[in-house]
Amino acid sequence: TCSVDTFLILWKLKTQCRAYRFSGHAEAVTSVEFSPDGQVLASASQDHTVRLWIPCIHGETSVLKGHTASVRSVSFSQDGYSVASASNDKSIKIWSVCYQRLLFTLFQHTGWVRCAKFSPDGRVIASCSEDRSVNIWDTRNKTCVSSFSDYEGFATFVDFNPSGTCIACAGSNNTVKLWDIRINKLLQHFKVHRAGVNCISFHPSGNYLITASTDGTLKILDLIGERLIYTLHGHKGPVLCVAFSKGGEKFASGGSDAQVLLWKTNFDTLDYKEVLEHNFRRTHIDDPPHLLDIYPRSSHFHNKKLKSVEVNPTFDVPDKQTPDPIVIEIRPSSPIST
């Protein structure tokens, strides 16, 4: 996890709970991500830098300098060789992890770039900016190949579905939109929050999308049934980020209340049968449908009167008051060896 307190914290969730606090950034840390093999961490900060960390007690780190304003997000390519960073300097930079140097810079946005993400195959990058555009970039010829810009507000976060055929955009105007990037078509449009959406995360199956909003809630969307299925309460104040675990059995959320909540999903339990009754084959893990099952589909607009399951934090978030774990302070001792 990362925070405006300038630290990264690595949480050990199994056996005795323990946390490692990494210090090195001079200002708020805005984004953090593990490499696909879990051997390296990348972080972005308002101190204009990107850092690469070896997540161990030795505190090895390398600093990547090149941005001239706050860095908003970091994203690893699937092979782990590259990192994309998005910044308020209106640029996206691609860095080599192995050689710890800048590879190239993407320019076209005219506003602060809020987020940039590699596609699952690493061939394209999706970025969103406060200039109200969402751009798709070809990483081979380093050009923008398509752009979406129909937002009343601007997209605050963008991510690819697991198959890489679609992107989902979180909007400052309370919306979530799904686009098919092969034909540049709007597939779905959800307006289920009462305030801006700050972050989204696809379930590994591609069937569900979870959203985090300034209205203080998390919502889980069923993309096959095109509906809201859960509204989750627990944070006191805006929810800033959310991410599914690699296997989809858990997800974590972070809020302006300085809390990180770890949630367990129930997508595969019998209790969830009522949600799956209209599409029984989704209970079979050997043949999961994904977003291609609904392709192509015209825009879908939800009305505001949707049934949702309200989760009572008093009963369903019992670990909010768990004692703080043992924290081990880690400061950079040496740069990462190449």
Side-chain angles (χ1 to χ4, degrees), residues 58-190:
H58 303 300
E60 295 180 18
T61 181
S62 290
V63 185
L64 305 178
K65 296 181 179 179
H67 286 293
T68 58
S70 298
V71 187
R72 293 274 193 161
S73 80
V74 284
S75 171
F76 275 98
S77 59
Q78 186 57 39
D79 57 17
Y81 294 159
S82 304
V83 168
S85 58
S87 170
N88 284 1
D89 64 12
K90 306 176 186 178
S91 74
I92 300 147
K93 293 186 182 293
I94 314 302
W95 311 83
S96 166
V97 175
C98 180
Y99 299 107
Q100 299 160 36
R101 63 180 179 85
L102 179 65
L103 296 176
F104 57 90
T105 302
L106 302 175
F107 289 107
Q108 183 162 312
H109 286 297
T110 58
W112 293 355
V113 187
R114 297 290 296 257
C115 181
K117 292 283 186 179
F118 273 103
S119 63
D121 62 11
R123 291 187 296 178
V124 297
I125 290 172
S127 64
C128 61
S129 166
E130 293 190 9
D131 63 11
R132 301 191 179 186
S133 69
V134 178
N135 289 350
I136 306 297
W137 308 81
D138 186 328
T139 58
R140 291 166 295 185
N141 58 27
K142 307 172 183 59
T143 58
C144 179
V145 293
S146 61
S147 183
F148 311 107
S149 56
D150 77 331
Y151 270 89
E152 298 171 8
F154 56 86
T156 58
F157 193 90
V158 64
D159 202 4
F160 286 88
N161 71 331
S163 68
T165 58
C166 299
I167 59 169
C169 303
S172 64
N173 62 334
N174 315 353
T175 66
V176 175
K177 294 186 178 183
L178 273 76
W179 299 85
D180 188 317
I181 63 172
R182 298 166 298 180
I183 56 173
N184 296 347
K185 182 176 181 179
L186 179 64
L187 291 178
Q188 294 177 331
H189 178 181
F190 296 92

Side-chain angles (χ1 to χ4, degrees), residues 292-324:
L292 292 178
D293 293 339
I294 61 170
Y295 162 81
R297 187 185 290 272
S298 59
S299 311
H300 183 87
F301 295 87
H302 278 284
N303 59 40
K304 294 183 179 180
K305 295 182 179 179
L306 277 169
K307 292 182 179 179
S308 64
V309 180
E310 299 288 332
V311 177
N312 187 328
T314 305
F315 303 106
D316 295 285
V317 194
D319 292 327
K320 283 200 301 178
Q321 305 301 324
T322 48
D324 291 337

Side-chain angles (χ1 to χ4, degrees), residues 5-6 17 31 35 47 56 90 105 114 124 151 168 190 203 229 240 244 255 264 272 296 299 315 337:
D5 63 10
T6 75
C17 191
S31 176
S35 61
D47 64 11
C56 65
K90 306 176 186 178
T105 302
R114 297 290 296 257
V124 297
Y151 270 89
F190 296 92
H203 187 266
I229 51 177
L240 303 179
F244 273 109
K264 190 176 187 303
Y272 203 62
S299 311
F315 303 106
S337 168

Side-chain angles (χ1 to χ4, degrees), residues 186-198:
L186 179 64
L187 291 178
Q188 294 177 331
H189 178 181
F190 296 92
K191 195 162 187 176
V192 292
H193 284 288
R194 296 188 300 273
V197 185
N198 299 313

Side-chain angles (χ1 to χ4, degrees), residues 10-20 325-328:
L10 186 63
W11 307 85
K12 187 174 181 180
L13 303 178
K14 294 181 179 179
T15 64
Q16 182 182 5
C17 191
R18 183 173 288 215
Y20 302 90
I326 300 169
V327 177
I328 298 175

Side-chain angles (χ1 to χ4, degrees), residues 196-230:
V197 185
N198 299 313
C199 190
I200 51 179
S201 180
F202 277 98
H203 187 266
S205 68
N207 296 338
Y208 309 100
L209 186 73
I210 191 165
T211 62
S213 170
T214 301
D215 65 12
T217 67
L218 298 144
K219 292 181 186 282
I220 298 179
L221 306 173
D222 177 1
L223 300 180
I224 304 297
E226 296 187 304
R227 59 177 180 161
L228 170 67
I229 51 177
Y230 279 162

